[in-house]
């Protein structure tokens, strides 16, 4: 659902639900990149190497959604 379609309460609930923790996200992304590098070195690039790529994509997508929610909250003057 688009941020503009959410009510104020739903918007506040959604932004608290997906609030990123940059240190944990960076650690997790680094760990997943390490798994990909290891699989390339061992020459076993296959399905199990694609799973970390999808997880990294999901983390980056969550970050973009959080920014979009923040922009909508600023439009509605809910945060400074």
């Amino acid at each position: 659902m688009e941020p503009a379609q959410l009510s104020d309460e739903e918007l506040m609930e959604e932004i608290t639900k997906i609030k990123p923790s940059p240190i944990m996200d960076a650690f997790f992304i680094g760990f997943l990149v390490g798994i990909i590098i290891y699989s390339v070195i061992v020459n076993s690039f296959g399905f199990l190497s694609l799973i970390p790529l999808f997880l990294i994509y999901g983390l980056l997508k969550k970050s973009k959604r959080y920014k979009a929610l923040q922009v909508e909250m600023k439009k509605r003057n809910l945060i400074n």
Side-chain angles (χ1 to χ4, degrees), residues 6-19:
L6 298 173
S7 68
D8 290 346
E9 294 82 21
E10 290 173 333
L11 189 62
M12 294 293 286
E13 181 181 317
E14 187 73 20
I15 203 161
T16 56
K17 199 168 40 172
I18 66 167
K19 185 174 182 180

Side-chain angles (χ1 to χ4, degrees), residues 62-73:
K62 181 178 98 170
S63 176
K64 289 180 183 179
R65 173 123 172 105
Y66 182 75
K67 288 179 184 177
L69 290 172
Q70 279 186 325
V71 167
E72 185 63 31
M73 287 183 70

Side-chain angles (χ1 to χ4, degrees), residues 4-79:
Q5 297 173 344
L6 298 173
S7 68
D8 290 346
E9 294 82 21
E10 290 173 333
L11 189 62
M12 294 293 286
E13 181 181 317
E14 187 73 20
I15 203 161
T16 56
K17 199 168 40 172
I18 66 167
K19 185 174 182 180
S21 58
I23 294 173
M24 288 302 295
D25 289 349
F27 173 77
F28 194 57
I29 288 173
F31 181 72
L32 293 172
V33 168
I35 291 172
I36 293 169
I37 291 171
Y38 176 76
S39 69
V40 168
I41 289 173
V42 176
N43 293 331
S44 64
F45 192 77
F47 179 71
L48 292 177
S49 300
L50 294 177
I51 293 172
L53 290 175
F54 288 118
L55 293 174
I56 290 171
Y57 173 74
L59 284 172
L60 296 176
K61 187 175 178 182
K62 181 178 98 170
S63 176
K64 289 180 183 179
R65 173 123 172 105
Y66 182 75
K67 288 179 184 177
L69 290 172
Q70 279 186 325
V71 167
E72 185 63 31
M73 287 183 70
K74 285 182 182 178
K75 283 183 187 177
R76 296 183 189 186
N77 293 324
L78 295 176
I79 61 172

